[in-house]
PDB file of all heavy atoms in Angstrom:
ATOM      1  N   ALA A  95      78.047  95.294 125.341  1.00 76.00           N
ATOM      2  CA  ALA A  95      78.606  96.627 125.270  1.00 76.00           C
ATOM      3  C   ALA A  95      80.011  96.428 124.820  1.00 76.00           C
ATOM      4  O   ALA A  95      80.612  97.391 124.154  1.00 76.00           O
ATOM      5  CB  ALA A  95      78.711  97.100 126.757  1.00 76.00           C
ATOM      6  N   VAL A 129      77.362  70.248 135.926  1.00 91.00           N
ATOM      7  CA  VAL A 129      76.204  70.531 134.947  1.00 91.00           C
ATOM      8  C   VAL A 129      75.721  72.058 135.208  1.00 91.00           C
ATOM      9  O   VAL A 129      75.382  72.826 134.321  1.00 91.00           O
ATOM     10  CB  VAL A 129      74.966  69.562 135.067  1.00 91.00           C
ATOM     11  CG1 VAL A 129      73.844  70.139 134.335  1.00 91.00           C
ATOM     12  CG2 VAL A 129      75.407  68.250 134.410  1.00 91.00           C
ATOM     13  N   ILE A 146      71.519  91.392 119.714  1.00 82.00           N
ATOM     14  CA  ILE A 146      72.066  91.870 118.481  1.00 82.00           C
ATOM     15  C   ILE A 146      71.308  91.529 117.222  1.00 82.00           C
ATOM     16  O   ILE A 146      71.062  92.171 116.303  1.00 82.00           O
ATOM     17  CB  ILE A 146      73.600  91.403 118.403  1.00 82.00           C
ATOM     18  CG1 ILE A 146      74.397  92.111 119.457  1.00 82.00           C
ATOM     19  CG2 ILE A 146      74.187  91.650 116.944  1.00 82.00           C
ATOM     20  CD1 ILE A 146      75.872  91.658 119.608  1.00 82.00           C
ATOM     21  N   VAL A 150      69.560  93.935 114.317  1.00 79.00           N
ATOM     22  CA  VAL A 150      69.600  93.816 112.942  1.00 79.00           C
ATOM     23  C   VAL A 150      68.251  93.754 112.224  1.00 79.00           C
ATOM     24  O   VAL A 150      67.951  94.434 111.245  1.00 79.00           O
ATOM     25  CB  VAL A 150      70.346  92.482 112.565  1.00 79.00           C
ATOM     26  CG1 VAL A 150      70.302  92.163 110.996  1.00 79.00           C
ATOM     27  CG2 VAL A 150      71.834  92.520 113.006  1.00 79.00           C
ATOM     28  N   VAL A 167      62.224  88.336 115.563  1.00 77.00           N
ATOM     29  CA  VAL A 167      63.466  87.541 116.194  1.00 77.00           C
ATOM     30  C   VAL A 167      63.030  86.724 117.349  1.00 77.00           C
ATOM     31  O   VAL A 167      63.329  85.624 117.482  1.00 77.00           O
ATOM     32  CB  VAL A 167      64.660  88.517 116.470  1.00 77.00           C
ATOM     33  CG1 VAL A 167      65.663  87.738 117.356  1.00 77.00           C
ATOM     34  CG2 VAL A 167      65.169  89.080 115.162  1.00 77.00           C
ATOM     35  N   ALA A 210      76.312  81.928 109.056  1.00 88.00           N
ATOM     36  CA  ALA A 210      77.529  82.211 108.233  1.00 88.00           C
ATOM     37  C   ALA A 210      76.954  82.308 106.791  1.00 88.00           C
ATOM     38  O   ALA A 210      77.487  83.206 106.107  1.00 88.00           O
ATOM     39  CB  ALA A 210      78.401  81.084 108.366  1.00 88.00           C
ATOM     40  N   GLY A 243      60.422  94.306 133.619  1.00 83.00           N
ATOM     41  CA  GLY A 243      60.599  93.047 132.860  1.00 83.00           C
ATOM     42  C   GLY A 243      61.203  92.102 133.950  1.00 83.00           C
ATOM     43  O   GLY A 243      60.641  90.977 133.971  1.00 83.00           O
ATOM     44  N   ALA A 360      69.235  96.564 123.788  1.00 69.00           N
ATOM     45  CA  ALA A 360      68.677  95.425 123.096  1.00 69.00           C
ATOM     46  C   ALA A 360      68.922  94.099 123.889  1.00 69.00           C
ATOM     47  O   ALA A 360      68.020  93.262 124.113  1.00 69.00           O
ATOM     48  CB  ALA A 360      68.964  95.145 121.666  1.00 69.00           C
ATOM     49  N   LEU A 362      69.867  94.199 127.066  1.00 76.00           N
ATOM     50  CA  LEU A 362      69.451  94.309 128.558  1.00 76.00           C
ATOM     51  C   LEU A 362      68.084  93.679 128.782  1.00 76.00           C
ATOM     52  O   LEU A 362      67.670  93.254 129.833  1.00 76.00           O
ATOM     53  CB  LEU A 362      69.409  95.658 128.932  1.00 76.00           C
ATOM     54  CG  LEU A 362      70.797  96.213 129.471  1.00 76.00           C
ATOM     55  CD1 LEU A 362      70.663  97.814 129.718  1.00 76.00           C
ATOM     56  CD2 LEU A 362      71.285  95.519 130.713  1.00 76.00           C
ATOM     57  N   GLY A 378      59.727  80.338 143.644  1.00 84.00           N
ATOM     58  CA  GLY A 378      58.991  79.115 143.540  1.00 84.00           C
ATOM     59  C   GLY A 378      59.496  77.846 144.232  1.00 84.00           C
ATOM     60  O   GLY A 378      58.637  77.208 144.889  1.00 84.00           O
ATOM     61  N   ALA A 383      59.532  74.250 148.784  1.00 81.00           N
ATOM     62  CA  ALA A 383      60.225  73.619 149.857  1.00 81.00           C
ATOM     63  C   ALA A 383      59.599  73.864 151.241  1.00 81.00           C
ATOM     64  O   ALA A 383      59.827  73.113 152.156  1.00 81.00           O
ATOM     65  CB  ALA A 383      61.758  74.132 149.861  1.00 81.00           C
ATOM     66  N   VAL A 396      51.701  85.965 140.672  1.00 90.00           N
ATOM     67  CA  VAL A 396      50.632  86.937 140.792  1.00 90.00           C
ATOM     68  C   VAL A 396      51.196  88.230 141.505  1.00 90.00           C
ATOM     69  O   VAL A 396      50.987  89.418 140.995  1.00 90.00           O
ATOM     70  CB  VAL A 396      49.357  86.482 141.474  1.00 90.00           C
ATOM     71  CG1 VAL A 396      48.337  87.643 141.660  1.00 90.00           C
ATOM     72  CG2 VAL A 396      48.680  85.354 140.611  1.00 90.00           C
TER      73      VAL A 396
END
Side-chain angles (χ1 to χ4, degrees):
V129 167
I146 292 170
V150 172
V167 170
L362 279 173
V396 172

